[in-house]
Amino acid sequence: MASHFKGHKVTAILVLVAATAWVATGKFASVGSEEAHAAQPAPEATSIELAQDDGAAPASVLRTVAALTPVFQDHAREIRISGVTGADKRTVMAARSDGIIAALPIAQGDIVTDDQVVMTVEGADVAAAVMTAEATLAQRTQELEVAEKLFKSGNTAELQLIKVRADKAAAEAALSQAEAAADRLNLRAPFTGIVDKVDVELGEWVQTGTPIATVLSLDPIVVRAEVSEVDIGFVSVNDRAGIRLVNGRQLEGKVRHVAREASPQTRTYPVEVELPNPDGAVPAGMTAEVSLYTRPERAVTVPRSVITLSTEGELGLRIVGTDNVAHFASVELIDDTPEGLVLTGVPEDARIIVLGQDLVRDGETVSVKDAASIALGD
């Protein structure tokens, strides 16, 4: 998991690991010091001896380490990226028919509702075509009624009845076409939103496809940003997100979309965060700082200095159990915070060696001091 972090952070951790081996100050100058003197017949005052009874010969010397009991907490990793606010939906409405604008009941800043008519084009000829189609259909309907009665009484041929039915169907189709042409004279809003721009004037001649107005839906407002390929594996839909706008305003939202394909140019993955904006106070196009909070994991925060490496170069900790035997525990680094490194994989029934961890070996029995007591000077 350490590979999820940038190279300079890993380098810093390794430097701290190497430096830890030289830590020896104050009351605990003797932590780990026995290795250099273990071969001498009589340890000096810097070594730790087991308690003896009746002046018996010294027992084997144990290396002294300091350890602490891990405190487990649910940790949500924070990923900070830059983004820009944008409309939930945006559309440029265009004329659906040629003609002169007869009605334009909108202006910049107006709120329009779904299916509201925002422009009407003159079309007297189209209205007349609808009326003609309606009259024709009424005539064909009556002709069909008469033909069916005659056919039932045996006074007309079946072919004549079939022709009358076809004439009525054609009249229905002609009316549908005329009504569709009339409907295209009216331009309707596709969703509820705010009119951001109006491109035409009342009385202007427009052709099919001429831009008429731009409508934005700003509730919810959407912050669009991009996540690096290193961090994308930590981000999921519905994750909590904090938004800090360039004007200092702070808002809460959630991730609604995570792209599955990276941008070829930047190798980053677009993400979208939505947040409520009922009053429309947050405009589109504003710079924002996005903090993505991943799903909480049970983890431990430790000082950077306690990280060590196994003989195979694996990142981990030295731990001791209730038997005071030291072991190496492989861990996963999930976050780097001002308080320390956040790790998962720490055994719950173990204590973490925080002093002397680089001088003990797997399976070695050690003398354990309480790190909390050391910090208090006990």
Side-chain angles (χ1 to χ4, degrees):
M1 181 64 72
S3 61
H4 290 158
F5 293 83
K6 297 181 179 178
H8 69 277
K9 291 185 178 180
V10 174
T11 302
I13 292 171
L14 295 178
V15 170
L16 288 168
V17 168
T20 304
W22 297 90
V23 175
T25 60
K27 179 178 177 180
F28 300 96
S30 64
V31 171
S33 65
E34 302 306 322
E35 187 174 43
H37 302 284
Q40 298 180 9
E44 299 299 330
T46 57
S47 63
I48 305 298
E49 296 182 356
L50 295 179
Q52 305 297 316
D53 293 329
D54 301 327
S60 58
V61 176
L62 297 181
R63 195 181 310 279
T64 300
V65 297
L68 57 81
T69 301
V71 178
F72 291 88
Q73 293 179 326
D74 288 337
H75 178 80
R77 184 180 175 220
E78 180 182 2
I79 301 172
R80 290 189 178 182
I81 51 179
S82 295
V84 178
T85 62
D88 177 40
K89 292 186 285 288
R90 180 184 185 276
T91 187
V92 178
M93 294 184 295
R96 303 170 61 202
S97 181
D98 300 346
I100 296 174
I101 299 177
L104 188 66
I106 57 170
Q108 287 181 337
D110 286 352
I111 301 297
V112 294
T113 57
D114 182 22
D115 207 40
Q116 176 182 334
V117 175
V118 298
M119 185 195 72
T120 300
V121 173
E122 290 182 354
D125 55 336
V126 176
V130 172
M131 295 177 63
T132 300
E134 289 175 342
T136 301
L137 178 59
Q139 179 182 346
R140 297 292 181 262
T141 301
Q142 290 180 350
E143 290 174 352
L144 179 58
E145 291 176 357
V146 172
E148 287 177 341
K149 290 179 181 179
L150 292 174
F151 178 75
K152 288 180 181 179
S153 64
N155 294 317
T156 188
E158 184 177 1
L159 288 177
Q160 181 63 29
L161 177 61
I162 292 173
K163 179 181 180 304
V164 175
R165 286 174 176 171
D167 290 343
K168 179 177 181 292
E172 290 174 340
L175 177 59
S176 295
Q177 290 178 343
E179 289 175 339
D183 182 67
R184 286 194 293 271
L185 298 177
N186 296 315
L187 184 61
R188 301 177 183 275
F191 50 79
T192 299
I194 185 171
V195 179
D196 190 59
K197 182 181 180 183
V198 179
D199 300 292
V200 294
E201 296 291 344
L202 185 66
E204 184 177 339
W205 169 269
V206 294
Q207 294 179 313
T208 301
T210 299
I212 303 302
T214 301
V215 176
L216 306 177
S217 175
L218 299 178
D219 185 24
I221 195 76
V222 179
V223 179
R224 295 176 173 89
E226 296 191 348
V227 177
S228 72
E229 54 189 347
V230 174
D231 293 327
I232 190 62
F234 294 99
V235 182
S236 301
V237 173
N238 292 324
D239 280 351
R240 183 170 62 93
I243 307 297
R244 185 177 184 276
L245 300 177
V246 69
N247 60 8
R249 185 177 179 184
Q250 296 187 354
L251 303 166
E252 286 281 335
K254 67 177 181 178
V255 177
R256 78 170 188 180
H257 173 70
V258 179
R260 295 293 92 189
E261 182 178 14
S263 168
Q265 291 77 27
T266 62
R267 306 307 306 165
T268 54
Y269 293 80
V271 298
E272 292 183 359
V273 175
E274 68 174 19
L275 52 152
N277 189 32
D279 55 359
V282 180
M286 180 175 285
T287 302
E289 181 183 89
V290 183
S291 295
L292 301 178
Y293 298 97
T294 63
R295 293 180 180 177
E297 296 183 71
R298 189 165 174 77
V300 176
T301 302
V302 300
R304 294 169 178 80
S305 59
V306 308
I307 296 294
T308 188
L309 298 175
S310 68
T311 55
E312 293 79 18
E314 189 176 10
L315 196 70
L317 304 170
R318 292 287 177 184
I319 61 173
V320 292
T322 55
D323 56 1
N324 287 352
V325 176
H327 296 285
F328 178 85
S330 176
V331 296
E332 292 183 350
L333 180 59
I334 64 170
D335 205 358
D336 186 355
T337 69
E339 293 75 26
L341 302 178
V342 184
L343 311 174
T344 60
V346 179
E348 303 225 6
D349 57 350
R351 291 166 292 171
I352 301 172
I353 300 177
V354 296
L355 287 176
Q357 67 272 22
D358 289 306
L359 301 177
V360 297
R361 297 178 298 274
D362 283 353
E364 180 179 352
T365 300
V366 294
S367 175
V368 182
K369 295 287 187 179
D370 182 18
S373 298
I374 291 173
L376 294 173
D378 294 340

